[in-house]
Amino acid sequence: MTAPPLFDQSCLEIISTADCLRLLGSVPLGRLVHTYGGLPAVRLVNFVLDDDTIVFTTGQGDKLRAAERGDVVAFQADDVDTERHTGWTVTAVGHLSVVTPDEAAALRRALPLHSWLPMDDPHLVRLGIETVTGRRLVPWGRRPRSSATSRKAR
């Protein structure tokens, strides 16, 4: 028997870690959230999920510099059906790193990595996922009537 779903105070279903990773692997685009010049920056990237790491290609620039420094970043991906008012969002947090050239060659052979943008000197960057959270907006009939009557995560 499976446990009933958990909902947060906004009546969004809380997605399990395993389902968060499965959902991340189901979409080709996400948003890398990092610091650039002391301010938040958001960059759209196409990526591949490799077990519990996110891998993407980048050229010279702020994403590569963040990876070289080992910055802590957030990464968000989602899928939304605007007509049905359903969907999900997953946020992963962890440290960026640059993939070594030897490992990059192996990953390029094993994973369907590609960039949607042409690059002169592409580098592979990895986000080691340290925490992952997700929320799902479920159909009206599956939502709790109120946050007071729903089974909530503590």
Side-chain angles (χ1 to χ4, degrees), residues 121-142:
D121 186 20
H123 298 272
L124 287 187
V125 171
R126 171 183 289 127
L127 169 59
I129 298 173
E130 297 170 26
T131 64
V132 63
T133 58
R135 298 291 186 268
R136 181 180 287 121
L137 182 60
V138 297
W140 285 103
R142 289 183 38 211

Side-chain angles (χ1 to χ4, degrees), residues 38-154:
L39 298 172
V42 180
R43 301 289 183 262
L44 190 64
V45 297
N46 53 297
F47 71 100
V48 173
L49 186 69
D50 183 28
D51 292 323
D52 61 352
T53 64
I54 292 166
V55 181
F56 60 91
T57 303
T58 190
Q60 299 293 326
D62 55 331
K63 293 180 295 214
L64 181 60
R65 284 189 294 278
E68 290 171 336
R69 290 188 305 261
D71 287 1
V72 174
V73 300
F75 188 89
Q76 184 182 49
D78 47 52
D79 188 29
V80 176
D81 183 331
T82 58
E83 290 183 19
R84 292 189 176 103
H85 297 192
T86 60
W88 57 266
T89 184
V90 171
T91 302
V93 176
H95 287 82
L96 284 183
S97 62
V98 178
V99 177
T100 65
D102 289 341
E103 189 180 2
L107 285 174
R108 287 182 202 284
R109 286 190 299 272
L111 299 175
L113 288 161
H114 66 280
S115 175
W116 290 6
L117 299 173
M119 289 182 221
D120 291 331
D121 186 20
H123 298 272
L124 287 187
V125 171
R126 171 183 289 127
L127 169 59
I129 298 173
E130 297 170 26
T131 64
V132 63
T133 58
R135 298 291 186 268
R136 181 180 287 121
L137 182 60
V138 297
W140 285 103
R142 289 183 38 211
R143 295 179 194 171
R145 290 208 172 113
S146 74
S147 59
T149 62
S150 67
R151 182 172 169 251
K152 294 185 210 172
R154 306 244 186 256

Side-chain angles (χ1 to χ4, degrees), residues 17-29:
T17 297
D19 280 345
C20 284
L21 292 174
R22 182 185 58 76
L23 290 168
L24 275 177
S26 73
V27 294
L29 288 174

